[in-house]
Amino acid sequence: MIQSRFRLIPQFVLKDEDGNDFSWKNLLGRYTVVYFYPKANTPGCTLEGLDFTKLIDEFNGNVVGISPDDCKAIASFKSKKGLKVKLLSDPDKAVAEQFGVVKDGKLIRSTFIVDPWGRIRKEWIKVNVNGHAEEVLQEYKRMIQEDQALNDNILLRRALRGVRPDPVEDEKIETLIKAAHLAPSCMNKQPWRFLVVRTKENLEKLHSTLSEGNYWMKHAPVMIIVYTDDELGCQLSDRRNYALFDTGTAVGLLLAQATQMGLIAHPVAGYDPIKVKELFEIKGVVITLIAVGYWGNIDMLNEKHLAAEFSERIRKPVEEIAKYI
Amino acid sequence: MIQSRFRLIPQFVLKDEDGNDFSWKNLLGRYTVVYFYPKANTPGCTLEGLDFTKLIDEFNGNVVGISPDDCKAIASFKSKKGLKVKLLSDPDKAVAEQFGVVKDGKLIRSTFIVDPWGRIRKEWIKVNVNGHAEEVLQEYKRMIQEDQALNDNILLRRALRGVRPDPVEDEKIETLIKAAHLAPSCMNKQPWRFLVVRTKENLEKLHSTLSEGNYWMKHAPVMIIVYTDDELGCQLSDRRNYALFDTGTAVGLLLAQATQMGLIAHPVAGYDPIKVKELFEIKGVVITLIAVGYWGNIDMLNEKHLAAEFSERIRKPVEEIAKYI
């Protein structure tokens, strides 16, 4: 199952207004509003159904109303009132119970926004129907807009050098490693390897392998040696070395995670790989060293690097790297 | 400069209570509360200063108060009241103006939480001091906790196969490519290349290259051919092929972005790379095909793949891939 920090929808199956099955799987891959209402044809529930119906196109048709009424009752409610929402029958309130909206045997009018992964991203418990559908729509649109935007951790990440010597707890580095370790890999071989260097003695050993231009890395409280080897990953036809590629994917996730955590994570290639391998008894390919630490130690940078810290990012025009056919 | 969807702090320099410079750069790499107050030694401003002082350790010492008072006035205010916040003098309200908290020449009592990248993540304009410091602390802690957690896009991403044929707009694919293209690369060579396949004819051509086990990809409305070549990236000593590694990093960012957008993005290795290159006139190494689309088309999966869709994720124990020295 999907793992998430959000609550996931329960795995339910109910009958709809036509007596057909409608399950939690129907919610996957869409942004859906799921609302619970006490009883078909009563004034509040009618108003709520009509209000969602008015806005149904803006919800891309994805509004589902659930009540304890039987299939016949919801079918008649739907046709009589001209509702355009999907109605489901939850006669014993079992699904309402799973969503946590039953109290002392009574259903509490409630609304949820479920995202394409089945995560409950927003909930309203004890709903007052006046203006409610409109409020849900605003949040629905806001959520989609936010999700569809370029992720800020990806947007703002850059190869910053002004790293402060202040310590970074092992716990935080462990989170970075966890993020990397969740990358996909060919045949799930997980070819990435990380040696986290953070004692003074070991950092100094590693400093001796750096190229001159990487003087700034000596301020980093943590450096991660990233390595792999051909046989740790798939080696497939036509020069497809997945040890290197998959390790790159893992590092991509690590960088996004670090940025979210407010940490510089700057991978470099300017070091003596043979010397790193000798000093730290590593075999294989040392593909990068990543300096990790907090930003703000700007004064130690040379003129060129200081300018780079606040310069525009340089990228090839996107047409050079991507084509659509 | 950092690019972000959030407003960034203005680039200010002010004098502190000791007459020393304190600049926006001092805020980088930390979570800081910046609050504007109208006048030292008045009752409201004293209460606010004392309340932040009481909680100063929980704010990790990072609370900065700014007012139009001169340095002498803030120095005396600080020592007389025993304040432990950093005070800055903004005599002509120029910085208050940059933060947008001056109206009709008057400073509006306001508070900001600034994150390690200098992003203004939360603001309170027209503050009532009663209970304010405590409210700011709750938000400060919540934000840090959220930022330090494993990113949900990384946590929930998995190699899902139940892709629906529903179209995915080019605009969304362009966002995926933008995310990938913001990856770092050795010498900024940007060796990644993407061929986005989404017409029926071209998709069918690509289907002919798939291994049998990748039958499910034929439902995807978009497939991205990811390729590179040795000379597009750095080739450094000791087998360091950055064309492949950097392309992997770009794909890592693409996967995180897709997950945020509610899209499956599943990279595979099961295809005939020579045939892909012939059919689409590509040179180099076709390192992966990524199927892109919305989730929920579960019924077309074979038994093994259906089980995989909802199984636990399998990863080596973290001790096997990471060591701390």
Side-chain angles (χ1 to χ4, degrees), chain A residues 220-239:
Chain A
V222 178
M223 291 216 273
I224 305 176
I225 302 173
V226 182
Y227 63 104
T228 183
D229 208 351
D230 289 357
E231 73 267 16
L232 292 176
C234 296
Q235 296 296 327
L236 300 187
S237 64
D238 206 35
R239 295 190 288 144

Side-chain angles (χ1 to χ4, degrees), chain A residues 4-5 29 119 149 151-152 157 181-182 190 194 196 238 242 260 277 287 315-316 321 323 325, chain B residues 4-5 119 149 151-152 164 181-182 190 194 196 238 242 260 277 287 315-316 321 323 325:
Chain A
S4 172
R5 292 170 49 231
R119 293 181 293 183
N151 180 284
D152 218 52
R157 185 216 59 80
H181 197 30
L182 287 170
Q190 310 160 52
F194 304 98
V196 180
D238 206 35
Y242 288 98
Q260 175 188 293
K277 289 183 349 188
I287 191 65
R315 286 295 180 279
K316 294 177 196 293
I321 61 107
K323 295 204 166 27
I325 60 168
Chain B
S4 174
R5 294 170 48 231
R119 294 182 292 184
N151 181 283
D152 219 52
R164 286 200 275 120
H181 198 29
L182 286 170
Q190 309 160 52
F194 304 98
V196 180
D238 205 36
Y242 288 97
Q260 176 188 291
K277 288 179 0 184
I287 191 66
R315 286 294 181 278
K316 294 178 197 291
I321 60 108
K323 292 203 167 32
I325 60 169

Side-chain angles (χ1 to χ4, degrees), chain A residues 127-254:
Chain A
V127 162
N128 177 334
V129 294
N130 290 306
H132 176 60
E134 185 58 48
E135 185 187 338
V136 174
L137 180 61
Q138 292 317 314
E139 177 59 21
Y140 183 85
K141 285 181 171 173
R142 192 204 60 74
M143 185 185 297
I144 294 177
Q145 194 181 17
E146 186 176 296
D147 285 359
Q148 302 309 310
L150 188 59
N151 180 284
D152 218 52
N153 296 321
I154 294 172
L155 181 62
L156 72 76
R157 185 216 59 80
R158 44 185 303 167
L160 297 167
R161 293 181 179 85
V163 58
R164 286 201 275 119
D166 309 42
V168 175
E169 301 89 322
D170 277 359
E171 194 191 344
K172 292 187 179 164
I173 305 297
E174 285 160 15
T175 304
L176 299 184
I177 300 293
K178 261 187 212 162
H181 197 30
L182 287 170
S185 54
C186 183
M187 301 289 287
N188 199 21
K189 288 202 173 210
Q190 310 160 52
W192 41 78
R193 296 293 181 273
F194 304 98
L195 186 59
V196 180
V197 181
R198 78 279 195 257
T199 68
K200 188 167 180 289
E201 188 193 344
N202 285 320
L203 282 169
E204 279 171 4
K205 262 161 68 175
L206 191 51
H207 293 165
S208 73
T209 71
L210 296 175
S211 68
E212 218 175 306
N214 284 336
Y215 66 93
W216 56 270
M217 293 182 87
K218 296 181 183 169
H219 297 265
V222 178
M223 291 216 273
I224 305 176
I225 302 173
V226 182
Y227 63 104
T228 183
D229 208 351
D230 289 357
E231 73 267 16
L232 292 176
C234 296
Q235 296 296 327
L236 300 187
S237 64
D238 206 35
R239 295 190 288 144
R240 289 180 292 159
N241 178 338
Y242 288 98
L244 281 177
F245 175 76
D246 295 341
T247 301
T249 307
V251 166
L253 298 185
L254 185 152

Side-chain angles (χ1 to χ4, degrees), chain A residues 6-164:
Chain A
F6 288 89
R7 185 155 71 107
L8 300 171
I9 44 165
Q11 304 194 4
F12 67 86
V13 187
L14 291 174
K15 298 284 183 198
D16 70 8
E17 59 280 270
D18 301 318
N20 296 323
D21 279 352
F22 185 100
S23 88
W24 65 284
K25 291 180 190 169
N26 292 73
L27 302 183
L28 302 179
R30 299 178 169 93
Y31 291 87
T32 309
V33 173
V34 177
Y35 75 97
F36 288 85
Y37 63 98
K39 194 164 171 46
N41 267 315
T42 56
C45 300
T46 302
L47 179 60
E48 192 173 18
L50 287 171
D51 280 354
F52 276 122
T53 294
K54 270 181 217 151
L55 303 172
I56 194 73
D57 289 343
E58 298 199 65
F59 285 114
N60 311 304
N62 299 324
V63 181
V64 178
I66 304 179
S67 71
D69 303 289
D70 63 24
C71 287
K72 218 176 120 186
I74 59 175
S76 124
F77 180 40
K78 185 161 174 169
S79 70
K80 214 165 95 186
K81 307 292 182 185
L83 303 182
K84 290 184 186 161
V85 299
K86 164 69 64 184
L87 294 182
L88 304 181
S89 165
D90 180 26
D92 53 5
K93 303 194 197 81
V95 174
E97 192 81 63
Q98 287 179 295
F99 271 87
V101 297
V102 179
K103 205 183 164 184
D104 303 329
K106 281 187 68 178
L107 188 145
I108 307 157
R109 192 188 300 278
S110 303
T111 302
F112 301 87
I113 300 181
V114 178
D115 81 2
W117 305 117
R119 293 181 293 183
I120 296 176
R121 292 276 294 280
K122 177 80 185 174
E123 61 180 45
W124 291 262
I125 309 293
K126 268 198 190 176
V127 162
N128 177 334
V129 294
N130 290 306
H132 176 60
E134 185 58 48
E135 185 187 338
V136 174
L137 180 61
Q138 292 317 314
E139 177 59 21
Y140 183 85
K141 285 181 171 173
R142 192 204 60 74
M143 185 185 297
I144 294 177
Q145 194 181 17
E146 186 176 296
D147 285 359
Q148 302 309 310
L150 188 59
N151 180 284
D152 218 52
N153 296 321
I154 294 172
L155 181 62
L156 72 76
R157 185 216 59 80
R158 44 185 303 167
L160 297 167
R161 293 181 179 85
V163 58
R164 286 201 275 119

Side-chain angles (χ1 to χ4, degrees), chain B residues 103-121:
Chain B
K103 206 182 166 185
D104 303 329
K106 279 186 70 178
L107 187 145
I108 307 158
R109 191 188 301 277
S110 301
T111 302
F112 301 86
I113 300 180
V114 178
D115 81 1
W117 306 115
R119 294 182 292 184
I120 295 176
R121 293 275 295 278

Side-chain angles (χ1 to χ4, degrees), chain B residues 28-308:
Chain B
L28 302 179
R30 300 179 169 91
Y31 291 87
T32 309
V33 174
V34 177
Y35 75 98
F36 289 85
Y37 63 98
K39 193 163 170 48
N41 266 315
T42 57
C45 300
T46 301
L47 180 60
E48 194 174 16
L50 287 172
D51 280 355
F52 276 123
T53 295
K54 270 181 219 152
L55 304 171
I56 194 71
D57 290 342
E58 298 198 66
F59 285 114
N60 311 304
N62 298 324
V63 181
V64 177
I66 304 180
S67 70
D69 303 290
D70 63 23
C71 286
K72 216 175 124 188
I74 58 175
S76 124
F77 180 39
K78 186 163 173 168
S79 71
K80 214 167 95 184
K81 308 291 183 184
L83 302 181
K84 288 184 187 162
V85 299
K86 164 68 64 182
L87 294 182
L88 305 180
S89 166
D90 180 24
D92 53 5
K93 305 193 197 80
V95 173
E97 191 83 61
Q98 288 178 296
F99 271 87
V101 296
V102 179
K103 206 182 166 185
D104 303 329
K106 279 186 70 178
L107 187 145
I108 307 158
R109 191 188 301 277
S110 301
T111 302
F112 301 86
I113 300 180
V114 178
D115 81 1
W117 306 115
R119 294 182 292 184
I120 295 176
R121 293 275 295 278
K122 177 79 184 175
E123 62 180 41
W124 290 261
I125 309 292
K126 266 197 190 174
V127 162
N128 177 335
V129 294
N130 290 308
H132 176 61
E134 185 59 48
E135 185 188 338
V136 174
L137 179 62
Q138 292 316 314
E139 176 58 22
Y140 182 86
K141 284 182 174 173
R142 192 205 60 74
M143 184 185 298
I144 293 177
Q145 194 181 17
E146 187 176 297
D147 286 359
Q148 302 310 310
L150 189 58
N151 181 283
D152 219 52
N153 296 320
I154 294 173
L155 181 62
L156 72 77
R157 186 216 60 79
R158 43 186 304 165
L160 297 167
R161 294 182 179 84
V163 59
R164 286 200 275 120
D166 309 41
V168 175
E169 301 90 320
D170 277 359
E171 193 191 344
K172 291 185 180 166
I173 306 296
E174 284 160 15
T175 305
L176 299 185
I177 301 292
K178 260 187 214 162
H181 198 29
L182 286 170
S185 54
C186 183
M187 301 289 287
N188 200 20
K189 287 201 173 211
Q190 309 160 52
W192 41 77
R193 296 292 181 272
F194 304 98
L195 186 60
V196 180
V197 181
R198 77 285 192 250
T199 69
K200 189 169 179 290
E201 189 193 343
N202 285 321
L203 282 170
E204 279 170 4
K205 262 162 65 175
L206 191 51
H207 294 164
S208 74
T209 71
L210 295 175
S211 68
E212 217 174 305
N214 284 336
Y215 66 92
W216 56 271
M217 293 183 86
K218 296 181 183 169
H219 297 265
V222 178
M223 290 215 273
I224 305 177
I225 303 173
V226 182
Y227 63 104
T228 183
D229 208 351
D230 290 356
E231 72 267 18
L232 293 176
C234 296
Q235 297 296 327
L236 300 187
S237 63
D238 205 36
R239 296 190 286 145
R240 288 180 294 160
N241 178 338
Y242 288 97
L244 282 176
F245 175 75
D246 295 342
T247 300
T249 307
V251 166
L253 298 185
L254 186 153
L255 300 181
Q257 178 68 40
T259 309
Q260 176 188 291
M261 295 170 76
L263 285 166
I264 293 177
H266 182 159
V268 305
Y271 53 87
D272 180 340
I274 309 274
K275 205 167 165 192
V276 173
K277 288 179 0 184
E278 273 171 18
L279 284 169
F280 295 96
E281 295 174 13
I282 293 170
K283 277 183 215 162
V285 182
V286 174
I287 191 66
T288 190
L289 307 183
I290 305 179
V292 179
Y294 294 100
W295 197 26
N297 189 10
I298 311 269
D299 296 338
M300 59 92 171
L301 296 176
N302 68 27
E303 210 173 321
K304 184 182 116 192
H305 286 161
L306 184 62

